[in-house]
Amino acid sequence: MNVTVLAIIGGIIILGLASYAGYLLFQLKKQNQLQEQHKALAIEKRNANIFDSVNTLCLAGIQGQCDLSEISIRVYNIMDYVQGDDRVDFDKEFPATAELFHLVKDMPRGEERQNMDKKERMKHNLMRHKAETRLNDAIIEELKLLQKRVQPLNNQINIQMV
């Protein structure tokens, strides 16, 4: 009789531990799902902020408020931070903007540009200006297309902790 009672008690303990292990696995699965949802929302919110900035940059470029070379550098670099399915391959989808970006990305800017020799600075200005003039219409059209593409994606999402 003692062996039977011990076997029953052992079975109850094993059943209790197995139930608790199942409960913990269920909680872990639920936690992982919540983390994935939170991550997806965070990516979507970050992308929305990026698209808001890109929309503003496109508008500035279309209206001529900023040099196209500066717009190409800023838009190309900021769109590199987009995550998920909304990523854009600029070299394929926006070739004129990408071409101008690759031409001017290594040119000195700001204080470094001011410290350059005047002749070298003028050479860079001429090269940049020729490329901007040649690609102007294509880049403006690409900026309009990009603006239309990011505008519906520019939905601010309020994230609330659950």
Side-chain angles (χ1 to χ4, degrees):
M1 184 174 222
N2 285 340
V3 173
T4 308
V5 171
L6 289 176
I8 291 174
I9 292 174
I12 291 173
I13 291 173
I14 290 174
L15 182 64
L17 289 174
S19 297
Y20 185 64
Y23 170 76
L24 289 177
L25 283 174
F26 175 73
Q27 292 291 11
L28 181 63
K29 181 179 177 184
K30 188 173 158 183
Q31 181 183 14
N32 287 341
Q33 287 174 342
L34 284 173
Q35 285 176 343
E36 288 297 319
Q37 287 175 351
H38 185 4
K39 181 180 176 183
L41 283 173
I43 288 173
E44 203 169 331
K45 182 171 174 51
R46 181 173 185 218
N47 285 351
N49 288 336
I50 291 170
F51 294 146
D52 185 42
S53 297
V54 169
N55 187 33
T56 304
L57 288 170
C58 287
L59 188 60
I62 292 167
Q63 293 176 349
Q65 296 176 1
C66 189
D67 291 338
L68 291 180
S69 57
E70 189 67 27
I71 292 291
S72 69
I73 290 170
R74 290 175 186 259
V75 169
Y76 193 98
N77 285 327
I78 197 170
M79 287 297 286
D80 193 38
Y81 290 102
V82 173
Q83 295 176 314
D85 297 334
D86 298 327
R87 282 191 67 82
V88 174
D89 183 3
F90 256 83
D91 294 325
K92 289 182 183 176
E93 297 182 43
F94 303 102
T97 306
E99 181 182 344
L100 184 59
F101 167 76
H102 291 300
L103 181 77
V104 299
K105 70 179 179 182
D106 295 325
M107 288 184 182
R109 297 177 2 181
E111 190 174 313
E112 185 180 331
R113 185 177 184 283
Q114 296 300 324
N115 295 334
M116 287 176 59
D117 180 47
K118 185 175 182 178
K119 188 175 182 180
E120 189 70 23
R121 190 170 53 226
M122 290 298 186
K123 179 181 171 187
H124 283 204
N125 278 350
L126 181 63
M127 191 175 11
R128 180 180 53 80
H129 187 68
K130 280 183 180 179
E132 282 181 359
T133 303
R134 179 174 51 86
L135 299 170
N136 184 47
D137 294 336
I139 291 175
I140 296 294
E141 288 305 313
E142 287 180 359
L143 289 175
K144 288 178 182 177
L145 181 66
L146 180 61
Q147 187 180 31
K148 287 178 186 173
R149 182 172 173 174
V150 300
Q151 208 156 17
L153 302 174
N154 182 14
N155 51 348
Q156 295 292 332
I157 302 163
N158 294 324
I159 296 180
Q160 297 177 357
M161 296 302 287
V162 180

